[in-house]
Amino acid sequence: MLPTKAYAAPAANIPLEPFNFERREVGPHDVLIDIQFCGVCHSDLHQVRDEWGGSIFPMVPGHEIVGRITQVGDHVKNFKVGDLAGVGCMVDSCRTCPSCQEGLEQYCETTGMVGTYNGREIGTGAPTYGGYSSQIVVDEKYTLKVSEKLDLARVAPLLCAGITTYSPLRQWNVQPGHRVAVMGLGGLGHMAVKLAAAMGAEVTVLSTSPNKEADAKELGAHKFVVTKDKAQLKEVTNYFDFIINTVSAPLDLAAYLNLLRRDGTMILLGVPPEAPQVHAFNLIAKRRRIAGSLIGGIAETQEMLDFCAEHNIMSDIELINIKDINEAYERMLKGDVKYRFVIDLATLEN
């Protein structure tokens, strides 16, 4: 077994603290990654507080992992020692169901995807521990190649925020000529702006805060609409082909559905605490749709990383010491981050 240092939540609503545990030995198809950086996702906060239920403690969060490979199993074909590599939101799935066979492991129909943390290994039932740690052992099939061209710390959030926004843009074939609105300019939203703009779409940010306009334009948005301004909303009624909705707070969807053109689609990425209410007429009148999207499969995540390397797309981050993770969580609750915290795991040793 491989002794590993980490930070973990010992129980729900208890601050994270140093934690030592053992990773499994490197198997024939595994790689061992020395973790250099790990992004802090808002879902980490939900999980350590057991807000979604079913949390497994002690919990080592983190599923936006990048680092360098230090050991490979005897049968590993696609990686070698010294390669940069990444691990996203999952580390396994059943591999045999129709979704897995189609490269959509995130929708695994048999076991469900095995989360990088707060999951259980198939076969052993052992809990999975995430990237707030010094190293991780992962099957090469669930490991991703990372380009040497990009700032590694800024690549880390691509493994969740990046693929969560890239996947629906690809699923709905966003391209030049499309009008895409992005609701919410946080960790997910700022990546949606960058990616949609790189795909050639006209991008508009919808925000309650007028002081975010300069940031939105700098990220690549072509237009900005203050949603509290009824006149501005009226100007974009029946305007958009797609709305990427990253908002997790309660909101009235009806006002935003009216911004969609006929056959337009609102894609839900955020998870509000209560189910949104929608009158059927808002959909029927213009044949509009509401859809949802999760992360992407392994192949699509690799495609996203390659796309980002080609277009020089990275997350905007604030790099933090792992000892400051509890403070970072409090700041996340206040929206005090632009746009993603990333942990420097070199600080774990100090």
Side-chain angles (χ1 to χ4, degrees):
M1 303 296 282
L2 304 175
T4 301
K5 296 181 179 181
Y7 261 57
N13 297 305
I14 301 295
L16 275 68
E17 61 186 33
F19 176 66
N20 294 323
F21 68 100
E22 292 184 331
R23 297 281 189 192
R24 70 173 185 265
E25 293 287 348
V26 176
H29 300 283
D30 290 336
V31 299
L32 173 63
I33 302 171
D34 176 33
I35 301 174
Q36 296 182 26
F37 302 101
C38 183
V40 181
C41 179
H42 209 280
S43 61
D44 298 349
L45 186 56
H46 290 302
Q47 300 272 39
V48 300
R49 296 184 173 207
D50 197 22
E51 291 175 350
W52 294 343
S55 291
I56 304 167
F57 296 100
M59 182 190 300
V60 178
H63 57 205
E64 299 178 344
I65 300 166
V66 290
R68 205 167 286 277
I69 293 177
T70 57
Q71 185 179 341
V72 298
D74 293 341
H75 295 162
V76 169
K77 298 178 180 178
N78 297 315
F79 296 91
K80 64 183 185 301
V81 170
D83 284 351
L84 285 179
V87 181
C89 300
M90 59 181 161
V91 291
D92 205 355
S93 64
C94 82
R95 312 187 189 200
T96 58
C97 73
S99 289
C100 285
Q101 289 292 304
E102 293 173 36
L104 299 170
E105 300 93 344
Q106 73 273 33
Y107 301 119
C108 178
E109 299 157 35
T110 305
T111 60
M113 71 173 185
V114 177
T116 301
Y117 73 90
N118 199 38
R120 293 198 180 276
E121 293 182 355
I122 296 173
T124 69
T128 56
Y129 294 127
Y132 296 10
S133 59
S134 57
Q135 58 188 353
I136 189 168
V137 178
V138 185
D139 188 301
E140 71 164 329
K141 289 183 180 293
Y142 296 81
T143 306
L144 299 144
K145 294 180 179 293
V146 173
S147 171
E148 297 273 1
K149 298 193 309 183
L150 303 178
D151 180 341
L152 193 59
R154 295 181 62 194
V155 167
L158 301 181
L159 277 303
C160 179
I163 186 56
T164 298
T165 48
Y166 182 90
S167 186
L169 292 170
R170 277 290 184 243
Q171 172 65 29
W172 277 271
N173 194 30
V174 169
Q175 56 190 285
H178 282 146
R179 297 169 177 175
V180 176
V182 177
M183 291 176 60
L185 198 62
L188 290 177
H190 93 288
M191 288 307 311
V193 171
K194 291 186 178 193
L195 291 165
M199 293 173 183
E202 177 193 283
V203 182
T204 301
V205 169
L206 307 176
S207 176
T208 59
S209 178
N211 61 13
K212 290 187 177 181
E213 182 171 3
D215 286 349
K217 297 289 182 64
E218 187 175 346
L219 291 166
H222 304 92
K223 298 182 179 182
F224 186 87
V225 172
V226 180
T227 55
K228 291 181 179 179
D229 187 325
K230 292 183 179 179
Q232 289 190 36
L233 276 182
K234 187 175 181 180
E235 289 179 4
V236 290
T237 298
N238 299 317
Y239 186 80
F240 299 110
D241 298 290
F242 304 101
I243 297 176
I244 306 296
N245 183 349
T246 73
V247 178
S248 293
L251 76 167
D252 177 14
L253 290 187
Y256 300 100
L257 286 170
N258 288 332
L259 307 184
L260 288 170
R261 303 167 74 177
R262 178 191 46 117
D263 292 325
T265 304
M266 176 185 283
I267 303 156
L268 303 181
L269 303 182
V271 184
E274 297 178 2
Q277 300 296 312
V278 176
H279 196 287
F281 191 75
N282 291 109
L283 303 176
I284 292 169
K286 294 285 184 178
R287 202 163 62 188
R288 298 176 177 121
R289 294 173 287 266
I290 296 178
S293 182
L294 195 58
I295 57 170
I298 297 300
E300 188 173 56
T301 305
Q302 187 63 61
E303 178 188 303
M304 177 274 304
L305 287 171
D306 296 342
F307 181 89
C308 289
E310 179 184 352
H311 294 273
N312 197 36
I313 295 173
M314 294 167 283
S315 182
D316 289 12
I317 69 166
E318 180 179 335
L319 196 61
I320 63 170
N321 186 309
I322 197 166
K323 298 178 180 67
D324 297 327
I325 185 60
N326 293 303
E327 178 187 348
Y329 278 1
E330 293 304 316
R331 287 179 56 192
M332 284 169 61
L333 286 171
K334 300 173 184 175
D336 180 23
V337 55
K338 290 176 61 175
Y339 286 96
R340 205 71 156 185
F341 287 121
V342 172
I343 302 168
D344 180 354
L345 269 304
T347 63
L348 187 61
E349 304 298 328
N350 298 329

